[in-house]
């Protein structure tokens, strides 16, 4: 499954959008819009534009509170992908170790202290890893992304459109590879 450069750029964009929102995110909105518009055959652009509109109209503090309440204080909607399958078990520890080893094998250096299954980190990794590894990671985590998307849609969270857009993009890549 060869991943085109615009898809890799899209993973970097999703990583930025799903990281903790701060003033830098708001200051970068026009850049994100331009980047999003440049993606070829991206079926998820309208959903991202909806999110950009939300970021423009809702105060940053409200966005931060919404982000924290869903992603930091709710196990059902946390951004740690393996948690959705394993919870806090030994199996999750093994999954995290396996992901860390995969990062090391690909020469990817994680620059923060987050766990390796933190979705923005996984997306950043997908933007730089080999096509084969990206295929494995996408297939391993598409169900987790789907679960998270459904849970955010269920509670009508402002980030549901970002997750839905990500899910569409990942699904397109997996379909192209079959």
């Amino acid at each position: 499954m060869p991943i085109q450069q615009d898809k890799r750029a899209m993973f970097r964009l999703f990583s930025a959008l799903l990281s903790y929102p701060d003033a830098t995110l708001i200051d970068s909105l026009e850049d994100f819009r331009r980047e999003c518009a440049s993606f070829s055959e991206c079926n998820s652009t309208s959903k991202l534009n909806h999110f950009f509109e939300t970021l423009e109209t809702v105060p940053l503090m409200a966005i931060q509170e919404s982000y924290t309440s869903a992603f930091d204080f709710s196990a059902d909607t946390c951004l740690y992908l393996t948690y959705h399958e394993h919870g806090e078990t030994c199996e999750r520890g093994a999954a995290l170790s396996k992901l860390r080893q995969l990062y090391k094998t690909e020469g990817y250096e994680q620059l923060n202290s987050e766990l390796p299954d933190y979705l923005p980190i996984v997306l950043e990794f997908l933007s730089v890893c080999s096509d084969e590894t990206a295929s494995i990671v996408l297939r391993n985590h598409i169900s987790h992304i789907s679960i998270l998307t459904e849970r955010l849609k269920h509670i009508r969270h402002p980030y549901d459109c970002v997750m839905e857009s990500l899910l569409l993009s990942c699904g397109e890549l997996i379909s192209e590879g079959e």
Side-chain angles (χ1 to χ4, degrees):
M1 171 179 63
I3 299 176
Q4 305 298 322
Q5 278 309 107
D6 65 336
K7 297 285 186 187
R8 291 187 183 276
M10 195 171 57
F11 286 131
R12 282 191 297 276
L13 174 67
F14 281 118
S15 175
L17 294 177
L18 289 168
S19 296
Y20 183 75
D22 58 13
T24 303
L25 175 73
I26 303 303
D27 292 344
S28 302
L29 276 178
E30 283 310 308
D31 294 335
F32 291 149
R33 280 186 188 276
R34 274 194 297 279
E35 189 174 356
C36 188
S38 73
F39 296 147
S40 63
E41 301 177 28
C42 181
N43 292 330
S44 54
T45 302
S46 66
K47 294 183 185 316
L48 286 181
N49 283 329
H50 177 72
F51 181 67
F52 296 148
E53 290 168 11
T54 299
L55 291 177
E56 289 172 337
T57 57
V58 175
L60 178 58
M61 185 174 281
I63 296 290
Q64 290 171 328
E65 288 173 1
S66 179
Y67 181 96
T68 302
S69 70
F71 300 139
D72 293 343
F73 296 131
S74 173
D76 285 346
T77 53
C78 74
L79 291 175
Y80 297 96
L81 296 177
T82 62
Y83 184 85
H84 296 287
E85 181 176 358
H86 302 295
E88 290 296 340
T89 64
C90 294
E91 289 82 15
R92 182 170 181 230
L96 291 173
S97 178
K98 191 174 177 181
L99 199 49
R100 249 189 214 105
Q101 184 59 43
L102 194 59
Y103 290 177
K104 186 177 178 182
T105 300
E106 287 280 330
Y108 174 72
E109 185 178 342
Q110 188 178 329
L111 298 176
N112 60 38
S113 60
E114 288 289 347
L115 292 173
D117 67 337
Y118 181 60
L119 184 54
I121 298 296
V122 172
L123 294 168
E124 187 180 295
F125 176 68
L126 287 171
S127 76
V128 297
C129 69
S130 69
D131 291 345
E132 293 168 285
T133 299
S135 177
I136 292 167
V137 170
L138 281 172
R139 289 180 195 284
N140 286 346
H141 295 292
I142 191 77
S143 63
H144 305 141
I145 293 170
S146 179
I147 289 167
L148 183 55
T149 301
E150 287 306 313
R151 289 177 178 167
L152 290 172
K153 282 173 57 177
H154 181 74
I155 62 172
R156 298 176 182 234
H157 194 272
Y159 277 78
D160 69 347
C161 52
V162 177
M163 290 302 301
E164 196 171 356
S165 179
L166 173 62
L167 185 61
L168 274 171
S169 299
C170 291
E172 289 171 0
L173 276 174
I174 289 173
S175 295
E176 290 169 10
E178 293 177 340

